[in-house]
């Protein structure tokens, strides 16, 4: 989750971070996962899955003063690696099924999965919670044919 400073001034204040991301399996909405994030999930560098590259964030947290500073037009980035398990502990990878990839027989691929993502974040006590617009992404899992 990236929280952007769209204002014409630098945001800098004592951090009061709370946020969450909800994943809902679009096909079976009873399967959900809510991830709560905190300061521990703030990243100075992060992996951008769209470009496949590491990106440096200009947002800075000073642990001595507990101050978060976000320059104009930049982002505070929170990243969490989801293990594909729902709140019920059901593992999505075990529920979708795999078949051999016709282009590479050493790889198994799942059918396409649609996940709807929502969430919200508050970074400073003086600012309100900001919310993500719901986003539905389509994904396929891949694994080596030698994995069970």
């Amino acid at each position: 989750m990236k929280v952007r400073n769209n204002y014409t001034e630098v945001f800098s204040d004592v951090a009061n971070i709370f946020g969450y991301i909800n994943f809902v399996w679009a096909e079976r909405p009873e399967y959900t996962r809510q991830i709560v994030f905190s300061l521990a999930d703030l990243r100075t560098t992060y992996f951008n899955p769209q470009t496949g590259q590491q990106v440096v964030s200009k947002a800075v947290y000073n642990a001595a003063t507990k101050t978060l500073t976000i320059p104009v037009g930049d982002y505070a980035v929170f990243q969490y690696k989801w293990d594909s398990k729902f709140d019920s502990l059901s593992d999505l990878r075990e529920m979708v099924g795999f078949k051999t990839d016709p282009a590479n027989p050493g790889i198994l691929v799942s059918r396409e999965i649609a996940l709807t993502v929502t969430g919200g974040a508050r970074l400073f006590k003086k600012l309100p919670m900001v919310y993500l617009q719901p986003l539905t992404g389509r994904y396929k899992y891949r694994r080596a044919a030698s994995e069970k």
Side-chain angles (χ1 to χ4, degrees), residues 47-108:
F47 177 73
N48 183 336
Q50 293 175 331
T51 64
Q53 298 179 352
Q54 286 290 113
V55 180
V56 176
S57 171
K58 294 178 183 151
V60 175
Y61 178 73
N62 182 322
T65 62
K66 298 183 178 169
T67 301
L68 175 63
T69 302
I70 308 172
V72 174
D74 214 323
Y75 302 89
V77 178
F78 299 87
Q79 194 166 42
Y80 177 92
K81 186 175 179 179
W82 181 39
D83 62 4
S84 300
K85 292 181 181 171
F86 294 109
D87 290 336
S88 66
L89 300 181
S90 300
D91 191 325
L92 180 58
R93 295 166 295 187
E94 293 174 2
M95 301 168 72
V96 296
F98 288 84
K99 63 180 181 178
T100 303
D101 184 344
N104 186 345
I107 301 292
L108 300 176

Side-chain angles (χ1 to χ4, degrees), residues 3 12 14 33 46 51 58 64 66-67 80 95-97 100 104 108 112 114 126 130 133 143 147-148:
V3 181
S12 187
V14 173
R33 172 73 168 135
Y46 61 96
T51 64
K58 294 178 183 151
K66 298 183 178 169
T67 301
Y80 177 92
M95 301 168 72
V96 296
T100 303
N104 186 345
L108 300 176
E112 191 172 80
K126 296 177 185 174
V130 292
Q133 292 294 321
R143 67 180 190 201
E147 293 179 36
K148 298 227 177 208

Side-chain angles (χ1 to χ4, degrees), residues 4-67:
R4 184 176 183 175
N5 176 1
N6 287 329
Y7 293 90
T8 57
E9 59 189 61
V10 173
F11 277 7
S12 187
D13 201 350
V14 173
N16 186 341
I17 296 172
F18 168 77
Y20 67 92
I21 298 173
N22 289 324
F23 294 93
V24 177
W25 188 3
E27 177 183 315
R28 298 187 60 190
E30 67 272 20
Y31 288 101
T32 63
R33 172 73 168 135
Q34 182 176 69
I35 296 164
V36 176
F37 63 84
S38 66
L39 181 59
D41 300 303
L42 181 66
R43 301 290 181 249
T44 53
T45 62
Y46 61 96
F47 177 73
N48 183 336
Q50 293 175 331
T51 64
Q53 298 179 352
Q54 286 290 113
V55 180
V56 176
S57 171
K58 294 178 183 151
V60 175
Y61 178 73
N62 182 322
T65 62
K66 298 183 178 169
T67 301

